[in-house]
Amino acid sequence: MNQEERKTAIRRMRVLVAAACILMLLYGLRLIFLQLVNGDDFKSQATNTTDYKFTVTAARGDIVDSRGERIATSVTSYNVVLNKLLMGDEDLDGMLQKIVELLRANGESWNDTLLISQPDAAGNYTFTAEEGSTRDQKALAAMKDNLGLQQYATANDVMEKLVEDYDLASYPLSWQRTLGGIHYEMQLQAFSNVNNFIMAENVSEATVATIKEHSLSLPGVEIVETSTRSYEQSTVLPHVLGRVGKITAEKWKVTDENGQTTYPLREKGYNMNDIIGISGLESAYEDELRGKDGVETITRNSDGVIVDTALTTVPEPGHTVQLTIDSRFQKAVDKALAENIDMINRVYNTGSMKAAACAAVVLDVKDGSVLAASNYPSFDQNLYATQYSEYSADESLPLFNRALQGLYTPGSTFKPAVAVAALDSGLINRYSTVFCNGVYNYYSDYHPKCTRHGHSGNIDVITAIKWSCNIFFYDVGRRLTSEVYDAYAYKLGMGVRTGVEVSEALGHLTSKTDSNYIESLDVQAAIGQGNTVVSPVQLATYAATIANRGTRYRTHFVKAILDSNTGEVLQETQPEVMDVIEDRGETFDLVQQGMIGVSQTIPVLASYPYTIACKTGTPQRSEGYYVGSTYKHYTNTMMIAYGPAEDPQIAIGIVVEYGGGGARAGNLVADIFNAWFAMQDGTLNEDGTIGKQETAADSTSAAQTAPAQTETGTDAAADTATDPAAGTTDAAQETAPAGQDALDN
């Protein structure tokens, strides 16, 4: 290579190097521009993802008895859930058909509340809402509103609208109805990328396996483990425990009188599909039982690909609610009620009218704890949903909580309250007497009577309570006036809220403000008649207050709130004094002596190993019958009791509908005390039976239970006329306001 060629090559090399340097400089500048100037924008584009958060429902807390034995608990179950985010572009209706066919093959149902039938042979539809169901009629009206239809729209009109809205015209009629129902349910549950749809609930393990086997062809269809409410002791306290259920549309979306719409449950953290306590303790302690839901986060990038799924917040189970009752004792009282009804009907009510229902409440005298709240008949919590129609149609009303919401004329059980008022106010003392000749002649045009069973002449307060002397309480009640003895009755726990955590009936005491008030009502109300009505839980509270010598505690079912994981006591119910009657002198001593006297007139209680204080009542019902030309009223059995009188432990309030004489509850009181003492000494079995011991009803002598016996209780035995219609031997009672006689004892 000559000199000239070498120079040319060098020049070319320099040009190439310069060009390479310029190119590298340009690339460098571009890189700097991308990284430093627009780096944040490109980084955002490269990492553009969206998080979708889904609720993981926390397990509901347990409800346990005083020993920690489960009554209500949560058990694992499985739901078929549709996740729209995970479905991607999958044909929704095609997938729904696959799921429905799988569910059908396994005998499962799916969520479909559309109140429209499948089409008939002519392709017509009908509404399935029950005419007499308020809930169905409301749902039907809401469905038409939601679809923008007039209320006169027919079932065919509704289906036509659904087919149009959900583009179902290409499907056979039966599938139009099925898919339309599911789509409508999705609409109600606001199915979206951020809100899953529960397709089927509590499915079997076979269905779980089937869905998982077909998972590749069912994207977005998940088996979600959840919990459902189960009642391990399903007949224990069902009326008080209450129920759980799905949030209703009315509770979810609330519109006030001004047309303003709010979502109060959503604001409290609930989802539309959540389960919530709707009655009883399940509702009253919803905040404690509910727990804290967890959160599952699904992350999707800008291309729609799921890049991450994580449980970002772990759910926390609800707290445990511990009750004051021992389930063994509750079962024993339930059993005693059923046996007492049977005994009354076998021995006394041999006519056409039978005792068919009763209630009893047992309290701990020391603090107002409810030890038992029994209703007969009752129901099984686990069968409520499947047998609701049968339960609700039963004329004996097994769903009715008589113990807390039943209101009954107290009859002579009210007399100790009048005695407390008269003694405490100073109107009478232990030596005060009223002359009883069988007829009260204070009024010129109204002469109520007394049976004078076991007494006559000058009667003091102890004798008046023991033998239930109407004349004594007519006169004392008239002089006190209802304003005074009602004030004491309120303090003792009648006609007021007892404090229980669930719904209870308030009751009513006869008052001068009553629309039908006349002066004679004061004397009738003094023997527990008139307009006075109280509940069994009020009777038990009243008995406990007398046992406590005037101190009334708040009646309550809940003992404590516990941590579900550790069992630690988070909150404990303390005794709460609701009212006090100062025990001036001998007031409660004298009343107790009279009540002990009552128990001595009832053989099973007179021979009981411990001293029982009680008061019977035989108040009339509105229904009656004729004995010849004489009209008589059917009567209830009423009783309050507490004991042992020397150191009271439990108090009882009892009512037996159509039971007749108040003394007929004597065996029931003895059986309840037997169960109580058996629980103390460890001989009370899990099913409520008592070891090898006989109950009081079993041990009662044949002479005491023979149908021909004369009742020796202070109520029923007062009337010597046999009642052929009801087969009873009762105290006849008549309504005073109409000027008739009343012989309640």
Side-chain angles (χ1 to χ4, degrees):
M1 177 182 293
N2 56 32
Q3 190 68 24
E4 192 64 31
E5 289 175 341
R6 184 180 292 109
K7 290 180 179 179
T8 300
I10 291 172
R11 283 197 301 272
R12 290 176 178 173
M13 184 66 69
R14 287 174 179 170
V15 169
L16 289 174
V17 170
C21 289
I22 292 170
L23 186 61
M24 291 178 65
L25 179 62
L26 291 174
Y27 274 113
L29 291 172
R30 178 62 176 167
L31 184 61
I32 291 171
F33 178 79
L34 291 175
Q35 288 186 334
L36 299 182
V37 179
N38 288 336
D40 291 340
D41 290 340
F42 285 107
K43 181 180 179 181
S44 176
Q45 292 179 28
T47 61
N48 184 23
T49 60
T50 304
D51 288 340
Y52 297 87
K53 299 183 184 297
F54 299 91
T55 299
V56 180
T57 304
R60 193 170 182 82
D62 292 341
I63 299 177
V64 302
D65 76 355
S66 59
R67 295 177 298 141
E69 295 294 322
R70 286 192 183 96
I71 300 175
T73 189
S74 293
V75 296
T76 299
S77 62
Y78 299 94
N79 293 344
V80 179
V81 175
L82 274 59
N83 187 314
K84 189 172 184 179
L85 185 65
L86 299 179
M87 284 182 180
D89 297 328
E90 188 76 16
D91 175 41
L92 178 59
D93 288 317
M95 182 179 294
L96 290 177
Q97 285 181 297
K98 292 179 186 177
I99 301 170
V100 167
E101 287 171 347
L102 290 175
L103 292 172
R104 277 179 178 159
N106 284 278
E108 303 281 6
S109 59
W110 53 91
N111 284 335
D112 181 352
T113 59
L114 190 68
L115 295 169
I116 294 179
S117 68
Q118 281 287 345
D120 61 18
N124 293 314
Y125 301 88
T126 57
F127 290 125
T128 58
E130 294 182 11
E131 289 294 332
S133 171
T134 302
R135 181 169 54 185
D136 278 6
Q137 294 304 317
K138 283 184 177 179
L140 191 61
M143 175 180 67
K144 293 176 182 179
D145 284 341
N146 292 338
L147 295 174
L149 297 173
Q150 298 296 327
Q151 287 302 309
Y152 55 76
T154 66
N156 285 343
D157 294 334
V158 173
M159 280 307 305
E160 183 179 348
K161 178 66 169 157
L162 291 172
V163 169
E164 178 186 346
D165 286 354
Y166 303 133
D167 193 21
L168 302 175
S170 62
Y171 292 92
L173 292 180
S174 62
W175 273 112
Q176 287 181 8
R177 167 60 188 85
T178 299
L179 294 173
I182 296 172
H183 276 287
Y184 180 68
E185 197 69 23
M186 287 176 164
Q187 179 180 327
L188 291 180
Q189 295 188 26
F191 181 48
S192 67
N193 278 348
V194 295
N195 195 22
N196 293 340
F197 171 63
I198 301 174
M199 179 80 175
E201 299 176 79
N202 197 22
V203 297
S204 66
E205 292 184 3
T207 301
V208 171
T210 302
I211 296 293
K212 288 185 175 180
E213 286 171 8
H214 293 79
S215 60
L216 292 179
S217 63
L218 298 173
V221 180
E222 302 179 308
I223 295 295
V224 175
E225 185 177 298
T226 184
S227 61
T228 56
R229 206 57 164 166
S230 176
Y231 298 91
E232 294 191 6
Q233 300 186 70
S234 57
T235 60
V236 171
L237 222 63
H239 300 85
V240 174
L241 259 61
R243 296 182 297 110
V244 298
K246 286 186 177 180
I247 295 172
T248 62
E250 293 83 4
K251 287 187 176 181
W252 181 253
K253 181 180 179 181
V254 178
T255 303
D256 63 20
E257 61 220 13
N258 300 319
Q260 299 249 340
T261 299
T262 57
Y263 297 85
L265 291 177
R266 184 173 66 185
E267 292 167 6
K268 292 181 67 174
Y270 287 90
N271 293 311
M272 188 181 296
N273 299 325
D274 283 352
I275 297 296
I276 191 171
I278 57 177
S279 64
L281 293 172
E282 292 277 20
S283 174
Y285 283 84
E286 170 66 18
D287 291 344
E288 297 291 347
L289 292 166
R290 179 187 170 205
K292 296 180 180 178
D293 291 341
V295 177
E296 180 184 43
T297 302
I298 296 178
T299 304
R300 187 172 72 171
N301 66 17
S302 57
D303 294 326
V305 178
I306 304 298
V307 296
D308 189 35
T309 299
L311 186 65
T312 50
T313 303
V314 178
E316 298 178 19
H319 295 146
T320 296
V321 174
Q322 185 174 35
L323 306 184
T324 55
I325 72 155
D326 185 312
S327 56
R328 298 170 303 172
F329 184 66
Q330 176 70 43
K331 291 173 187 175
V333 177
D334 290 344
K335 179 173 177 287
L337 259 64
E339 291 176 348
N340 196 248
I341 283 276
D342 179 65
M343 182 275 292
I344 287 175
N345 287 329
R346 282 187 296 103
V347 177
Y348 301 110
N349 288 4
T350 56
S352 59
M353 181 57 70
K354 299 292 185 180
C358 56
V361 177
V362 186
L363 303 184
D364 186 328
V365 168
K366 307 297 184 184
D367 62 5
S369 298
V370 179
L371 302 173
S374 293
N375 291 284
Y376 178 88
S378 187
F379 68 97
D380 187 314
Q381 279 276 54
N382 288 334
L383 300 179
Y384 180 89
T386 58
Q387 295 191 13
Y388 175 77
S389 296
E390 291 86 343
Y391 283 143
S392 58
D394 191 330
E395 292 182 355
S396 62
L397 304 178
L399 299 178
F400 181 45
N401 188 358
R402 290 174 168 87
L404 271 63
Q405 295 176 330
L407 291 176
Y408 303 91
T409 302
S412 292
T413 59
F414 192 78
K415 290 175 180 175
V418 177
V420 168
L423 289 163
D424 190 70
S425 65
L427 179 70
I428 63 171
N429 58 39
R430 73 154 53 229
Y431 304 108
S432 304
T433 61
V434 173
F435 185 78
C436 178
N437 65 355
V439 181
Y440 190 57
N441 291 317
Y442 179 83
Y443 301 102
S444 60
D445 58 347
Y446 172 54
H447 306 285
K449 298 177 181 178
C450 178
T451 60
R452 290 196 297 171
H453 176 70
H455 70 282
S456 63
N458 291 318
I459 306 300
D460 62 20
V461 65
I462 295 174
T463 305
I465 294 173
K466 176 178 179 178
W467 294 112
S468 207
C469 177
N470 281 353
I471 302 300
F472 181 93
F473 287 100
Y474 287 151
D475 192 62
V476 170
R478 177 189 61 78
R479 287 188 284 149
L480 272 176
T481 75
S482 58
E483 291 177 328
V484 175
Y485 61 70
D486 278 358
Y488 279 86
Y490 288 133
K491 284 179 170 291
L492 290 166
M494 289 185 286
V496 294
R497 306 220 178 271
T498 64
V500 290
E501 300 89 337
V502 296
S503 176
E504 63 172 324
L506 184 60
H508 177 77
L509 302 185
T510 303
S511 166
K512 285 183 169 61
T513 60
D514 292 347
S515 60
N516 67 337
Y517 180 82
I518 56 177
E519 190 177 358
S520 62
L521 267 179
D522 271 6
V523 300
Q524 278 301 302
I527 65 165
Q529 296 279 153
N531 300 326
T532 300
V533 287
V534 297
S535 65
V537 70
Q538 289 177 345
L539 288 175
T541 302
Y542 160 45
T545 307
I546 294 175
N548 280 322
R549 305 178 69 85
T551 299
R552 176 164 69 90
Y553 290 105
R554 182 175 74 83
T555 306
H556 60 281
F557 283 98
V558 174
K559 178 181 180 181
I561 306 299
L562 312 176
D563 184 285
S564 292
N565 295 317
T566 66
E568 176 190 357
V569 176
L570 303 176
Q571 177 184 331
E572 190 168 12
T573 303
Q574 299 298 325
E576 180 181 351
V577 175
M578 303 295 286
D579 220 325
V580 176
I581 297 174
E582 296 295 339
D583 186 7
R584 297 185 179 93
E586 301 178 300
T587 295
F588 291 99
D589 288 333
L590 297 176
V591 171
Q592 179 169 283
Q593 287 179 46
M595 293 177 67
I596 292 172
V598 175
S599 70
Q600 297 307 301
T601 70
I602 304 171
V604 70
L605 299 182
S607 61
Y608 199 75
Y610 296 93
T611 305
I612 307 299
C614 71
K615 183 68 192 81
T616 55
T618 314
Q620 67 182 24
R621 298 181 63 91
S622 59
E623 311 97 317
Y625 53 92
Y626 283 94
V627 180
S629 60
T630 303
Y631 185 77
K632 301 185 70 175
H633 289 274
Y634 291 115
T635 56
N636 288 338
T637 299
M638 310 290 289
M639 185 176 282
I640 59 170
Y642 66 84
E646 298 80 5
D647 181 20
Q649 297 178 29
I650 64 173
I652 307 168
I654 294 170
V655 58
V656 182
E657 296 179 12
Y658 298 97
R664 296 176 185 179
N667 282 341
L668 178 53
V669 168
D671 285 343
I672 291 172
F673 273 99
N674 283 344
W676 170 256
F677 289 118
M679 185 169 64
Q680 305 309 304
D681 65 24
T683 60
L684 186 62
N685 299 321
E686 288 296 330
D687 64 356
T689 58
I690 304 174
K692 295 182 180 180
Q693 301 175 14
E694 294 180 332
T695 65
D698 294 329
S699 60
T700 304
S701 68
Q704 291 171 325
T705 59
Q709 79 171 81
T710 299
E711 295 183 66
T712 54
T714 57
D715 294 280
D719 185 9
T720 58
T722 302
D723 173 1
T728 60
T729 308
D730 301 327
Q733 301 158 32
E734 319 260 287
T735 305
Q740 298 172 321
D741 295 335
L743 301 180
D744 174 54
N745 288 277

